[in-house]
Amino acid sequence: MSDDINNTSGNNVEVKPAPEIVLASDILPDKIYIVPLQPRPAFPGIMLPMIFQSGPMAKMLKDIHNSNSEQVIGLVMTKPETAPEDPKELKESLHTIGTIARILKYNETPEGSIQVLVQGIKRIEILHSEVLNGRIRAKVAFPETRKDDSDEIKALTSGIINTLRELVKHNPVYSQEIKMFLSRGSLEDPGLLADFAVNMTTADRNELQDVLDCRSLYKRLEKVLFLLRREQDINELKEKITKQIEEKLSKQQREFFLKEQLKAIKEELGLEKDDKEEEIQKFQEQIEQLTLPDEVKGVIDEEMAKLKLLNNQSPEYAVARNYLDWLTGLPWGITTKDKLNVGVARQVLDRDHYGLKDVKERILEFIGVSRLRGSVEGSILCLIGPPGVGKTSLGRAVAESLGRKFFRFSLGGMRDEAEIKGHRRTYIGALPGKVIQAMKTCGSQNPVIMLDEIDKVGASFRGDPASALLEVLDPEQNSTFRDHFLDVPFDLSKVLFIATANVPDTIPAPLFDRMEVIRLSGYITQEKVQIAKRHLIPKLLDKNGMTRKMITFTDAGIIRIIQDYAREAGVRSLEKSLASCMRKIATKKAERKQRGTFSVNANTVEKLLGMPYFFDNPLMKDPKPGVSVGLAWTAAGGSVLTIESLAVTGKSDLKLTGQLGDVMKESSNIAYSYVSSIPGHFKIDKNFFKDNTVHLHVPAGATPKDGPSAGITMATSLISLASDRRIKPKLAMTGELTLTGQVLPVGGIREKILAAQRSKVKEIIMPEANRKDYQEIPKEVKKGIKIHFVSRYPEVYKIAFGK
């Protein structure tokens, strides 16, 4: 039954006044079948076309039509807007007041649906209802409306008529019906007028039912007049808004037509081409110069066809044009010819970088192999080293030696995956990722792209850039790299990617596995002197507006700056110190306080730069009992650290300070257990560790320290304390210790040796397993330092204490 009700409710498609009001017969049946209505109620005097699909309701109307009884039905609206399906529940959902209607026309379609035209006759009140064979039958009464000829009724009637005439002016939809109704002589019946007028409004179903329920003629007219006035206000507001919109549109259309006429006139005079045609022609010229894959060509053809159809003032036109601009601006099939000349590459590297012989040789080997292969495809280099050692400039030199374009962007702090793979075009202001931007900037498919600070890539709710880089750097995948913005494959296999990092530990393992690692450890003092003389000083002279006649730097002065102000792995602090010297002299020159050439030597450095930042640790030359010197490897390169221990009378315990990490805490506990378990081997009183709390400290406590390299250093400090003996002067050591006294290998050997040189260490103890790492270090780096290789701690003990 729900289908019938829905169809019934959906067929109040047109509400008409009867051409002639069919008056009710003297006798109307008081028992009638009810047709439930859903969207709005039916009123007396109104004709209503209705359609019923095949079903119980259609069968009921067919039976009524074929019977000899009065052709009437009851039209009653349901209380809920969606009627229940069950007939019993439907019966309970009906309003009490409805309208009895006569079937004027009846038509049955071949599909089985019933079309009827009914006319409301009179209000009915349901006294009692029942369900018979799925149909609702009701006993009804006919409430009468008392006639009233008072002045108030006449005034309300006049107000309704005037409002209806005003509605005709503002809303022509019902103008014909209103004119027809007003032209008939039916105005003498105020109740009939109210029933007609309320149907001319857009009042909701409950407001209409309220009017139908109203038995008082005065109140009914009053409610109808209120609804009509509200309808009039709404129509006037609609008309005002429509007029404003039409005025704006007409103004825009006028401007558009004038612009089009101006363009046409300029074209006739040969003054200007159409912007849209000019852009399309520009795109076509660019496409002809490119070697496009089939898929890309298909996408460009589709976008070009779309661009031709779009109005150049529409937002879609700007989106399509931007997309085409990126597609046609990429270097499809455009490459630069690789030089692959080892001799030229050697000259470029030697010109721009002093020292780093092993690094240069590794790069030259890479270029030599690429020459034999004929290409450098599938190669990803990773330069790992402390800040300021020249990683970025090495990448630029590689690009120059290969004859390729160079592009660099930093990954440090990057937390958005879209920075690598681009934004989707559904976003406003979408752009391709950095990789595609680099390709467009370079204008070739085989540039050198430097991924700076790859060890500092982050992750957030916007995605994981490190995972996005996997597709970029994987030779098996990047030949069909899909940027989210472009959404077409782009070949990155010809690109040479060079990544840089300070430490390998924080590089994601899948990324690290795809790269060929080249380590840059830092520079020794002699190398820094040459770098300053050949590269830094000439560059800084131009930058500070000075010449060699104004300032000179002696070797002794540069060495003093390196040892006292720039004791680091790289040369950035050295460059800053040299620049500071030049600024001081430039200021004096500008004030005419300095004449002639100023010589920066070992004696004048302190006058320019102030007190030294670094001092030689007196414990290196004359170590006290309980002090040992170790070598550490950090992100800033190698460093020398002293380990101190002190005995405090009390219970047997070990106290640690110095911001130690978990690994160094383990090393200290292992060293303590090892030494205290065999005190006799090291000439230590057997009750020393029982009667004392040992406090072990690593100075510079605010600096976090961690890593497996200080085990033997800590053990040596404890032995020195317990036996009250000093270790050999200018001796440093590195190596991890086990509980059985074995010395395990450590990393960063070259960095540690460089740090030892900067701190004037003369002897180093290191694990036997690191001998192969030591042999790969250039001779000039090892010069002046004696190396002792050990495999067990007793060997360390003999070297440190001379016995």
Side-chain angles (χ1 to χ4, degrees):
M1 183 173 289
S2 63
D3 293 339
D4 298 324
I5 294 171
N6 289 335
N7 290 327
T8 303
S9 67
N11 291 302
N12 297 1
V13 293
E14 189 177 4
V15 178
K16 298 181 179 179
E20 294 181 3
I21 302 302
V22 180
L23 298 175
S25 60
D26 294 335
I27 301 175
L28 288 170
D30 60 352
K31 291 185 178 180
I32 56 176
Y33 285 104
I34 301 298
V35 174
L37 303 178
Q38 293 181 40
R40 57 190 291 151
F43 284 84
I46 304 299
M47 286 197 304
L48 197 65
M50 305 173 74
I51 300 174
F52 298 86
Q53 301 298 333
S54 58
M57 198 65 66
K59 190 174 185 305
M60 182 185 78
L61 286 169
K62 185 176 181 180
D63 293 344
I64 293 172
H65 177 70
N66 293 334
S67 68
N68 295 323
S69 62
E70 188 81 17
Q71 300 286 300
V72 293
I73 54 175
L75 301 177
V76 184
M77 190 176 75
T78 59
K79 293 176 183 177
E81 193 165 355
T82 302
E85 296 183 3
D86 185 70
K88 292 181 180 180
E89 294 180 4
L90 180 61
K91 175 176 75 72
E92 298 298 328
S93 71
L94 295 173
H95 280 278
T96 305
I97 303 297
T99 301
I100 189 169
R102 178 171 284 116
I103 300 173
L104 300 180
K105 290 183 181 181
Y106 175 88
N107 181 40
E108 187 174 350
T109 64
E111 293 81 12
S113 62
I114 302 297
Q115 299 174 348
V116 295
L117 179 65
V118 300
Q119 179 186 354
I121 302 173
K122 201 172 186 179
R123 278 174 173 76
I124 59 173
E125 180 181 2
I126 297 177
L127 301 177
H128 173 71
S129 61
E130 58 184 346
V131 177
L132 297 174
N133 299 324
R135 305 170 183 177
I136 302 174
R137 190 177 181 187
K139 180 176 177 60
V140 298
F142 302 96
E144 295 292 335
T145 302
R146 191 175 49 149
K147 291 187 178 180
D148 192 345
D149 295 330
S150 63
D151 292 339
E152 289 86 352
I153 297 297
K154 290 178 181 179
L156 288 172
T157 303
S158 177
I160 289 174
I161 293 171
N162 292 334
T163 308
L164 283 173
R165 285 174 177 156
E166 288 295 322
L167 279 177
V168 173
K169 297 178 183 178
H170 295 290
N171 191 354
V173 175
Y174 294 118
S175 60
Q176 192 65 31
E177 288 83 352
I178 294 173
K179 287 178 181 177
M180 187 184 356
F181 184 84
L182 295 178
S183 65
R184 293 201 305 260
S186 56
L187 300 179
E188 298 176 358
D189 187 347
L192 188 62
L193 173 65
D195 291 339
F196 168 75
V198 78
N199 276 281
M200 298 299 106
T201 68
T202 56
D204 64 34
R205 63 197 303 270
N206 293 324
E207 291 173 328
L208 293 173
Q209 183 65 39
D210 188 34
V211 173
L212 187 64
D213 291 342
C214 194
R215 299 189 183 189
S216 169
L217 181 59
Y218 177 83
K219 289 185 178 179
R220 190 191 307 170
L221 289 169
E222 190 178 42
K223 289 181 179 181
V224 171
L225 182 58
F226 170 76
L227 294 175
L228 282 172
R229 290 284 173 82
R230 189 180 70 180
E231 192 73 20
Q232 183 182 1
D233 292 341
I234 292 172
N235 284 335
E236 288 177 353
L237 182 60
K238 286 181 180 177
E239 190 175 297
K240 181 181 178 182
I241 294 171
T242 303
K243 187 177 180 181
Q244 290 175 348
I245 292 172
E246 287 177 351
E247 287 177 355
K248 289 181 180 179
L249 287 175
S250 61
K251 183 181 179 182
Q252 291 177 357
Q253 289 173 349
R254 182 171 175 272
E255 290 177 353
F256 174 75
F257 287 129
L258 287 174
K259 287 179 181 178
E260 291 299 315
Q261 289 175 355
L262 182 61
K263 286 181 182 179
I265 293 170
K266 287 184 176 181
E267 286 178 6
E268 288 293 328
L269 296 174
L271 298 177
E272 184 180 296
K273 287 186 178 181
D274 180 72
D275 292 341
K276 182 177 176 180
E277 292 181 1
E278 193 172 346
E279 284 183 343
I280 291 173
Q281 184 179 353
K282 181 192 74 172
F283 285 136
Q284 288 174 340
E285 290 174 356
Q286 289 177 333
I287 292 168
E288 290 174 0
Q289 298 173 2
L290 301 173
T291 305
L292 297 170
D294 293 339
E295 183 179 347
V296 178
K297 192 174 187 309
V299 171
I300 290 179
D301 290 342
E302 289 178 8
E303 292 296 321
M304 288 290 288
K306 186 193 299 182
L307 197 70
K308 292 175 183 177
L309 296 174
L310 290 171
N311 186 340
N312 57 358
Q313 302 296 325
S314 69
E316 290 85 357
Y317 181 86
V319 173
R321 182 183 60 186
N322 183 46
Y323 184 47
L324 273 172
D325 191 40
W326 275 101
L327 282 177
T328 57
L330 291 173
W332 302 98
I334 299 174
T335 58
T336 55
K337 187 177 180 181
D338 289 333
K339 295 178 182 178
L340 298 178
N341 188 317
V342 177
V344 172
R346 189 185 298 276
Q347 290 177 3
V348 172
L349 291 172
D350 288 341
R351 181 197 68 198
D352 296 338
H353 298 83
Y354 183 84
L356 302 177
K357 288 186 179 180
D358 52 340
V359 177
K360 291 180 186 177
E361 288 300 323
R362 178 65 185 84
I363 293 174
L364 293 173
E365 289 170 7
F366 166 77
I367 295 174
V369 171
S370 300
R371 179 180 177 83
L372 296 179
R373 288 176 54 195
S375 69
V376 293
E377 295 178 10
S379 301
I380 303 151
L381 301 179
C382 183
L383 305 176
I384 298 179
V389 295
K391 298 185 294 294
T392 303
S393 59
L394 269 174
R396 192 174 282 109
V398 171
E400 183 183 346
S401 62
L402 292 174
R404 292 189 173 196
K405 302 287 183 66
F406 179 78
F407 187 91
R408 170 194 169 273
F409 66 90
S410 177
L411 299 173
M414 186 178 289
R415 295 178 178 273
D416 190 352
E417 179 184 326
E419 292 283 343
I420 302 297
K421 298 198 71 173
H423 303 84
R424 302 189 187 277
R425 293 200 307 279
T426 51
Y427 296 107
I428 296 174
L431 283 173
K434 292 284 189 183
V435 178
I436 295 298
Q437 291 181 36
M439 302 305 291
K440 183 178 181 181
T441 303
C442 293
S444 68
Q445 274 194 275
N446 63 337
V448 174
I449 296 180
M450 174 159 279
L451 308 173
D452 230 349
E453 311 291 353
I454 199 170
D455 56 331
K456 298 176 180 63
V457 179
S460 69
F461 66 93
R462 295 186 180 90
D464 183 7
S467 299
L469 280 171
L470 293 177
E471 184 180 353
V472 175
L473 299 180
D474 193 340
E476 301 298 325
Q477 301 181 52
N478 62 11
S479 59
T480 55
F481 172 71
R482 280 184 182 268
D483 184 271
H484 288 156
F485 179 84
L486 297 182
D487 201 25
V488 292
F490 190 88
D491 186 5
L492 298 177
S493 61
K494 298 180 179 64
V495 178
L496 172 58
F497 290 99
I498 301 179
T500 70
N502 294 135
V503 290
D505 304 342
T506 53
I507 301 175
L511 277 180
F512 192 71
D513 184 57
R514 284 165 169 78
M515 298 184 289
E516 299 179 32
V517 176
I518 299 177
R519 296 185 181 272
L520 288 79
S521 304
Y523 301 102
I524 60 176
T525 301
Q526 290 76 13
E527 289 175 337
K528 285 187 177 182
V529 171
Q530 295 301 319
I531 291 170
K533 293 169 67 175
R534 298 185 185 193
H535 303 288
L536 300 181
I537 292 174
K539 180 179 74 172
L540 292 172
L541 285 173
D542 293 338
K543 190 175 180 179
N544 290 279
M546 302 188 74
T547 64
R548 294 186 181 276
K549 293 181 179 180
M550 297 180 182
I551 186 170
T552 60
F553 290 84
T554 65
D555 288 358
I558 297 173
I559 292 173
R560 176 78 187 277
I561 293 173
I562 293 169
Q563 292 179 345
D564 292 351
Y565 302 90
R567 194 179 291 182
E568 57 167 357
V571 292
R572 284 184 185 162
S573 295
L574 174 59
E575 184 176 2
K576 292 175 185 177
S577 300
L578 293 172
S580 179
C581 293
M582 291 185 187
R583 288 195 300 272
K584 294 284 194 307
I585 302 305
T587 303
K588 291 182 179 181
K589 288 282 185 183
E591 294 176 347
R592 301 183 182 277
K593 293 181 179 180
Q594 174 65 42
R595 297 177 181 273
T597 303
F598 187 90
S599 176
V600 180
N601 52 44
N603 298 321
T604 57
V605 166
E606 191 169 330
K607 295 179 182 178
L608 297 174
L609 299 179
M611 294 296 293
Y613 300 153
F614 299 96
F615 298 92
D616 290 337
N617 192 333
L619 296 176
M620 294 284 294
K621 296 179 180 178
D622 185 21
K624 304 297 182 184
V627 176
S628 61
V629 180
L631 297 173
W633 179 33
T634 67
S639 65
V640 174
L641 55 88
T642 56
I643 295 179
E644 303 173 351
S645 55
L646 180 70
V648 181
T649 304
K651 66 176 182 177
S652 176
D653 195 8
L654 176 65
K655 182 179 180 181
L656 304 174
T657 56
Q659 197 77 349
L660 304 183
D662 292 338
V663 177
M664 288 195 74
K665 287 179 181 178
E666 287 185 1
S667 297
S668 60
N669 281 298
I670 290 170
Y672 181 82
S673 298
Y674 174 72
V675 174
S676 61
S677 65
I678 49 173
H681 286 62
F682 307 116
K683 300 181 180 180
I684 300 173
D685 183 0
K686 64 180 180 178
N687 295 320
F688 177 83
F689 291 104
K690 294 179 182 179
D691 300 335
N692 294 283
T693 295
V694 176
H695 184 172
L696 193 145
H697 175 64
V698 181
T703 304
K705 310 169 193 70
D706 204 8
S709 63
I712 63 173
T713 314
M714 291 177 172
T716 304
S717 174
L718 293 174
I719 294 172
S720 175
L721 171 70
S723 62
D724 195 27
R725 286 178 291 170
R726 307 183 183 196
I727 66 168
K728 186 184 296 185
K730 296 186 177 181
L731 170 69
M733 59 192 73
T734 180
E736 195 50 78
L737 182 66
T738 70
L739 287 172
T740 59
Q742 298 209 9
V743 180
L744 301 181
V746 294
I749 294 300
R750 172 164 176 161
E751 289 84 353
K752 291 175 179 178
I753 292 177
L754 287 171
Q757 276 209 345
R758 290 193 294 270
S759 299
K760 301 178 182 178
V761 171
K762 297 301 182 183
E763 295 183 61
I764 297 176
I765 300 173
M766 69 174 60
E768 177 66 37
N770 286 119
R771 187 186 290 270
K772 62 181 186 306
D773 301 314
Y774 176 78
Q775 290 173 348
E776 294 176 358
I777 299 173
K779 292 181 180 179
E780 57 270 19
V781 176
K782 300 183 285 188
K783 186 178 180 181
I785 296 180
K786 183 178 180 181
I787 305 297
H788 303 276
F789 293 101
V790 297
S791 56
R792 293 188 58 79
Y793 185 76
E795 300 174 52
V796 178
Y797 172 73
K798 291 179 181 178
I799 298 168
F801 296 99
K803 294 181 182 179

